[in-house]
């Protein structure tokens, strides 16, 4: 087997699920739902919290950044604001991430999935060096998938939908990992419109034309880019509140993990 960047050998299990999403998309609630689902289905899960600033978590984390890095003290010590404090805390934790990988490796035979919660402000993880280091450390040792949580009711306007998908697209190209779109809050709004827009380019264009903030040529070019992106995606509708879509979500994760193994680890 090929050796990871940090000297760990690559394994097929557990599958790492990195949960990201815009603030308020329901990441933490969704992660809580995933934890409940794994426990009820006898799926062996392990939970890592990477948000140093979260006050209280609805689920129990096996590894919690808050046990190692005290966010408020980091803010004081380095004279930082809230976002600088979160970023610096993540940097400090990233320097010890080899130990986290080691802990998971030691338990690998007893685990199916590792669920990873990320800071509330998405760009602190997706656009930072430490986010990249952590992602790379996971992906060089285990099959790793990004779950992008979408606030479905808030994405019902074509322009907002496109912005959200462009962000997801940038994460795909930055991480180069399989991405699962989890359309959350389907208890409030079904995600059918999103599936239709992703499958039928012309349906999306028609919706765009009826939007006030429509910018003809620009939007048309962008939706062409996204058409390519959608082909690489798996989409599922979920509700963190009702628990709908959990089986479909894990099927999408499994298919993505297979894709990961085929793409990156064909030598195994
Ligand atoms: P951060 O604290 O920034 O990480 O936010 P988050 O993205 O983790 O969102 P959080 O889980 O705190 O949820 C945001 C809001 O959306 C809360 O009021 C949740 O109750 C609500 N919410 C989350 N998931 C669902 C869902 O499936 N359905 C409905 N109706 N509300 C949801």
């Amino acid at each position: 087997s090929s050796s990871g960047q940090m000297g760990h050998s690559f394994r097929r299990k557990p599958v790492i699920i990195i949960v990201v999403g815009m603030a308020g998309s329901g990441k933490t609630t969704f992660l809580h739902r995933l934890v409940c689902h794994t426990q009820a289905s006898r799926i062996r899960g392990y939970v890592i919290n990477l948000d140093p600033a979260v006050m209280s978590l609805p689920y129990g984390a096996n590894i919690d950044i808050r046990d190692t890095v005290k966010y408020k003290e980091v803010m004081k010590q380095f004279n930082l604001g809230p976002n600088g404090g979160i970023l610096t805390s993540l940097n400090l934790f990233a320097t010890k991430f080899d130990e986290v990988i080691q802990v998971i490796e030691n338990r690998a035979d007893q685990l199916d999935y590792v669920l990873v919660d990320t800071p509330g402000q998405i760009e602190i993880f997706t656009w930072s060096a430490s986010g990249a280091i952590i992602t790379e450390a996971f992906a060089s040792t285990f099959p790793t998938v990004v779950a992008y949580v979408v606030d479905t009711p808030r994405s019902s306007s074509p322009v907002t939908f496109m912005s959200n998908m462009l962000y997801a697209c940038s994460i795909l190209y930055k991480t180069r990992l399989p991405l699962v779109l989890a359309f959350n809050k389907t208890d409030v709004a079904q995600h059918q419109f999103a599936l239709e827009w992703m499958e039928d380019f012309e349906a999306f264009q028609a919706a765009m034309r009826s939007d006030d903030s429509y910018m003809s040529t620009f939007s048309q070019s962008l939706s062409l880019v996204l058409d390519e992106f959608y082909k690489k995606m798996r989409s599922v509708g979920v509700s963190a509140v009702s628990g709908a879509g959990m089986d479909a979500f894990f099927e999408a994760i499994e298919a993505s993990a297979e894709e990961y193994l085929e793409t990156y680890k064909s030598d195994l």
Side-chain angles (χ1 to χ4, degrees):
S1 68
S2 61
S3 198
Q5 176 190 309
M6 291 169 169
H8 301 279
S9 57
F10 192 82
R11 290 171 175 271
R12 285 178 170 272
K13 280 267 168 186
V15 174
I16 313 287
I17 307 175
I18 302 176
V19 180
V20 298
M22 299 282 182
S25 59
K27 256 178 314 98
T28 300
T29 316
F30 182 60
L31 220 113
H32 185 206
R33 172 59 62 186
L34 292 178
V35 171
C36 294
H37 178 83
T38 53
Q39 285 168 355
S41 320
R42 295 175 176 274
I43 298 170
R44 299 166 308 168
Y46 200 72
V47 188
I48 302 180
N49 171 46
L50 294 181
D51 188 350
V54 71
M55 300 286 255
S56 65
L57 285 178
Y59 54 84
N62 298 93
I63 297 176
D64 195 324
I65 185 173
R66 295 176 301 171
D67 295 337
T68 313
V69 188
K70 302 295 174 206
Y71 157 72
K72 289 239 166 86
E73 280 164 31
V74 169
M75 268 178 76
K76 270 188 223 144
Q77 190 186 342
F78 298 97
N79 196 23
L80 298 165
N83 285 331
I86 297 171
L87 184 59
T88 304
S89 299
L90 199 65
N91 287 340
L92 292 170
F93 197 66
T95 63
K96 297 185 179 172
F97 214 72
D98 198 34
E99 291 169 34
V100 174
I101 299 291
Q102 190 63 59
V103 169
I104 303 170
E105 274 203 305
N106 292 345
R107 286 159 200 269
D109 293 338
Q110 293 114 53
L111 295 176
D112 299 310
Y113 299 103
V114 174
L115 308 166
V116 185
D117 202 355
T118 56
Q121 301 291 332
I122 186 170
E123 67 277 14
I124 289 178
F125 191 78
T126 56
W127 292 100
S128 66
S130 48
I133 287 166
I134 289 169
T135 305
E136 174 61 27
F138 279 133
S140 60
T141 319
F142 310 100
T144 305
V145 179
V146 175
Y148 184 77
V149 181
V150 180
D151 189 328
T152 309
R154 283 190 57 199
S155 303
S156 59
S157 112
V159 171
T160 315
F161 180 78
M162 194 170 71
S163 311
N164 212 339
M165 291 303 106
L166 286 169
Y167 202 94
C169 185
S170 74
I171 291 172
L172 177 84
Y173 286 108
K174 204 153 188 302
T175 62
R176 284 168 288 118
L177 294 173
L179 195 94
V180 172
L181 294 174
F183 284 97
N184 191 28
K185 312 193 185 183
T186 54
D187 57 297
V188 177
Q190 285 294 323
H191 69 302
Q192 243 57 49
F193 71 89
L195 295 181
E196 196 189 321
W197 287 348
M198 291 193 287
E199 273 158 26
D200 183 353
F201 178 74
E202 279 169 13
F204 182 71
Q205 293 275 311
M208 267 290 193
R209 275 190 290 276
S210 64
D211 196 303
D212 288 342
S213 42
Y214 174 60
M215 291 180 287
S216 171
T217 341
F218 181 58
S219 306
Q220 224 148 358
S221 319
L222 286 182
S223 49
L224 277 170
V225 171
L226 284 172
D227 212 38
E228 279 302 305
F229 164 72
Y230 295 146
K231 290 177 193 151
K232 298 188 172 77
M233 283 314 84
R234 288 180 179 81
S235 306
V236 288
V238 298
S239 167
V241 165
S242 78
M246 288 302 124
D247 290 333
F249 176 77
F250 278 100
E251 279 164 26
I253 292 292
E254 278 303 312
S256 301
E258 272 311 308
E259 180 196 320
Y260 181 94
L261 290 166
E262 278 162 26
T263 313
Y264 301 101
K265 303 287 167 185
S266 50
D267 56 328
L268 280 179

